[in-house]
């Protein structure tokens, strides 16, 4: 891509974004089935999922079932269960899931660190194919997302009608937080997931993406072009989406800014790529794993700091000539790194928190420093699906955001539990993606 065209695309994306509104290793195990099957292990032994033949899995006509990974309670393994095929309601879309990302937010639920109804199907970064529309769905939705369309889903699924959605602030959607995050349902107060046979309801973390089919509100979907692969593109819906929300809406990063990112896993490393795309001049990656820091250099970091062997705040100040950065992103959700984030920004700078942690955890701030130096401390949960998701697809399609470099591991569906275990142990450098179909 020519330099002028590259800069023009970046300016368009930036301007439109601103004008629109210690968990024990025993607590997550390799998948153990609730039926008579073999468990997976590091030697990649295969396991039979279900007693239902694959030919029985269909949407239209006759009996139909699917499989999904279920979290039952903390310190218990995920299990694969047979479900009735979920049915979409008005302005909802049934997706045949192709891939689902493995995210720390799911892990917080699995470890019991974030309260969420159970049993539930985790997974909230998906790509897939449109196979059904809910009854009475708006014709414009059907035109935008026709049967057979390739799509990517955002983990914040805006209702489109609440106070915040009408102002373009999809990331604060009242219905999403009141129903999905609080109750594990969609916006009529009901789940779409029911176990085969018993009919027992199972709750949905976002769309419950770690399953062969998922129901997603239409406002949470964007078309995925054929030029982008299903597997790598799954991370657009959370890792990239969260990073973009932090950079575009909270930090409002501008060309020439100095940016630091503390914690460069899946989401943090996406922040590096977005900072580079927005024209940041100094991009400082902070972590305690050299392997992650080496990869950070490939993703846009101009400097790296190992906080295990160096004072992260002092090093950031040294790199920026004693000033501190314009924006520091905290992507871990840790009280210590929360404080480091605030201390690393220049006078008048922005400390943006995007990492989730144990429910009720507190971060400390020097109040006098906050007041006298005009430090801005803010949280950012994600992007704005209706406006941002199509832009992120374009960033990936143009190659400005490198999806292939961001995804470090691809797993089979039956390896989902092992992937979360490895994520908990810190052995996944970037983002892992589970390939479902």
């Amino acid at each position: 891509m020519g330099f002028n065209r590259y800069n023009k695309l970046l300016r368009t994306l930036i301007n439109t974004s601103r004008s629109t509104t210690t968990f024990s290793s025993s607590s997550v195990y390799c998948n153990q089935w609730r039926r008579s099957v073999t468990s997976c292990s590091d030697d990649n032994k295969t396991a039979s999922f279900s007693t239902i033949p694959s030919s029985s899995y269909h949407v239209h006509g006759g009996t139909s079932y699917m499989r999904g990974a279920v979290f039952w309670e903390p310190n218990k393994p995920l299990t694969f269960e047979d479900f009735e095929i979920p049915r979409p309601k008005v302005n909802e879309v049934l997706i045949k899931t192709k891939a689902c990302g493995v995210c720390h937010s799911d892990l917080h639920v699995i470890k019991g660190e974030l309260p969420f109804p159970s049993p539930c199907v985790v997974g909230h970064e998906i790509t897939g194919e449109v196979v059904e529309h809910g009854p009475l769905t708006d014709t414009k939705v059907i035109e935008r997302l026709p049967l057979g369309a390739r799509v990517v889903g955002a983990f914040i699924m805006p209702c489109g009608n609440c106070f915040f959605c009408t102002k373009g602030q999809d990331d604060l959607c009242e219905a999403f937080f009141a129903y999905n995050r609080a109750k594990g349902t969609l916006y009529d107060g009901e789940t779409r997931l029911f176990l085969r046979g018993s009919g027992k309801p199972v709750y949905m973390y976002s769309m419950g993406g770690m399953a062969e089919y998922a129901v997603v509100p239409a406002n949470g979907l964007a078309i995925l072009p054929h030029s982008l692969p299903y597997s790598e593109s799954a991370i657009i819906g959370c890792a990239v989406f969260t990073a973009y929300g932090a950079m575009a809406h909270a930090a409002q990063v501008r060309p020439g800014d100095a940016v630091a990112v503390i914690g460069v896993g899946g989401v943090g490393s996406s922040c590096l790529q977005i900072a580079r795309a927005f024209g940041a001049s100094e991009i400082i990656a902070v972590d305690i794993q050299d392997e992650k820091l080496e990869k950070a250099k490939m993703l846009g970091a101009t400097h790296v700091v190992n906080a295990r062997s160096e004072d992260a705040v002092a090093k950031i100040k040294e790199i920026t000539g004693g000033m501190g950065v314009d924006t520091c992103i905290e992507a871990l959700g840790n009280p210590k790194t929360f404080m480091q984030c605030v201390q690393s920004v220049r006078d008048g700078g922005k400390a943006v928190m995007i990492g989730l942690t144990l429910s009720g955890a507190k971060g400390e701030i020097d109040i006098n420093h906050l007041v006298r130096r005009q430090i801005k401390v803010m949280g950012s949960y994600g992007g704005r699906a209706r406006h941002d998701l199509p832009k992120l697809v374009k960033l990936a399609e143009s190659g400005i955001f490198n999806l292939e470099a961001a995804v470090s591991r691809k797993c089979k569906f039956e390896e989902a539990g092992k992937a979360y275990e490895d994520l908990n142990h810190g052995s996944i450098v970037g983002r892992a993606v589970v390939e479902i179909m």
Side-chain angles (χ1 to χ4, degrees), residues 359-393:
S359 182
K362 302 290 191 283
E364 294 185 357
I365 299 176
D366 182 327
I367 295 175
N368 288 340
H369 178 71
L370 183 78
V371 173
R372 290 170 175 165
R373 299 303 180 180
Q374 300 180 29
I375 306 300
K376 301 171 183 67
V377 180
M378 61 193 77
S380 178
Y381 193 44
R384 298 168 183 175
R386 291 176 295 174
H387 303 291
D388 295 343
L389 201 56
K391 297 174 193 173
L392 296 178
V393 170

Side-chain angles (χ1 to χ4, degrees), residues 308-323:
R308 191 187 297 277
S309 57
E310 298 180 278
D311 183 320
V313 176
K315 191 65 178 178
I316 289 171
K317 293 287 183 71
E318 178 187 324
I319 292 168
T320 55
M323 290 286 292

Side-chain angles (χ1 to χ4, degrees), residues 342-357:
V342 175
Q343 294 171 342
S344 296
V345 300
R346 65 166 174 80
D347 292 356
K350 298 173 183 176
V352 181
M353 312 299 166
I354 63 175
L356 294 176
T357 186

Side-chain angles (χ1 to χ4, degrees), residues 66-67 86 94-101 123 125-131 151 207-216 230 234 413 434-437:
M66 74 164 190
R67 294 164 292 200
L94 180 64
I95 305 302
K96 183 179 181 181
T97 313
K98 298 292 186 177
C100 183
E125 284 182 327
I126 69 163
T127 54
E129 176 188 343
V130 175
V131 294
V151 292
M207 72 289 290
M210 203 64 75
E212 291 179 316
Y213 291 87
V215 170
V216 188
Y230 276 124
F413 194 18
V434 172
E435 297 178 318
I436 296 177
M437 290 189 181

